[in-house]
Amino acid sequence: MQFDDFVTRVQEQTRLDTRDEAIQITRAVLETLGERLDRKVRNGVEAQLPNELKEFLLARAEHDEQYDLQEFYNRVGARADLTYGNAMERTREVISVLREAIPDGEIEDILEDLPPEYGGLFA
């Protein structure tokens, strides 16, 4: 899936008014996911994404950070200037598009890397 297609799908899923808003939430979710994943798993996901999305995934990936799902939503909310509830909803919608964009094997690798509480996010 190309960058423009990904952003269009996010905008449709989230029902956001502008493309810029869709890019902002995409960036927030992928940056947060990128910092949370193990380097090997992150590299596998990165290989499946167009360059613009790779940049988001790698933006904060200096080292692997370990935190729970609640903190994941908190970080997305802070990066996208959203309430906790909106961050949860938007994150699920972006992850839904990510599931369309990358092979099931990469999703399985992500789920194996993350604690079980993240499973519902990728369901």
Side-chain angles (χ1 to χ4, degrees):
M1 183 180 295
Q2 297 301 314
F3 178 74
D4 289 335
D5 298 329
F6 194 99
V7 172
T8 297
R9 289 288 299 129
V10 167
Q11 189 173 357
E12 291 169 357
Q13 287 283 332
T14 58
R15 296 164 308 283
L16 291 168
D17 293 330
T18 69
R19 178 178 172 76
D20 287 343
E21 290 174 303
I23 291 171
Q24 179 184 21
I25 189 58
T26 298
R27 177 187 306 269
V29 171
L30 292 182
E31 283 181 358
T32 306
L33 182 62
E35 75 184 1
R36 182 60 182 83
L37 292 175
D38 173 78
R39 182 182 51 83
K40 183 179 176 185
V41 174
R42 186 175 48 245
N43 289 345
V45 174
E46 170 198 357
Q48 304 299 318
L49 297 174
N51 289 334
E52 300 91 339
L53 296 176
K54 286 179 190 180
E55 290 174 17
F56 296 166
L57 190 70
L58 299 176
R60 298 180 185 266
E62 294 87 35
H63 47 80
D64 312 333
E65 294 191 43
Q66 303 297 310
Y67 47 82
D68 64 15
L69 186 57
Q70 181 177 357
E71 178 61 17
F72 189 95
Y73 293 135
N74 283 332
R75 290 179 186 217
V76 169
R79 290 178 177 143
D81 194 27
L82 297 171
T83 64
Y84 185 83
N86 284 337
M88 284 178 54
E89 180 180 345
R90 299 286 188 249
T91 298
R92 289 183 179 128
E93 293 161 344
V94 172
I95 294 296
S96 172
V97 177
L98 181 65
R99 285 187 59 88
E100 295 173 22
I102 64 175
D104 289 341
E106 293 302 331
I107 297 298
E108 290 171 16
D109 290 346
I110 290 171
L111 289 171
E112 288 176 13
D113 185 45
L114 297 173
E117 69 178 320
Y118 283 80
L121 177 58
F122 288 86

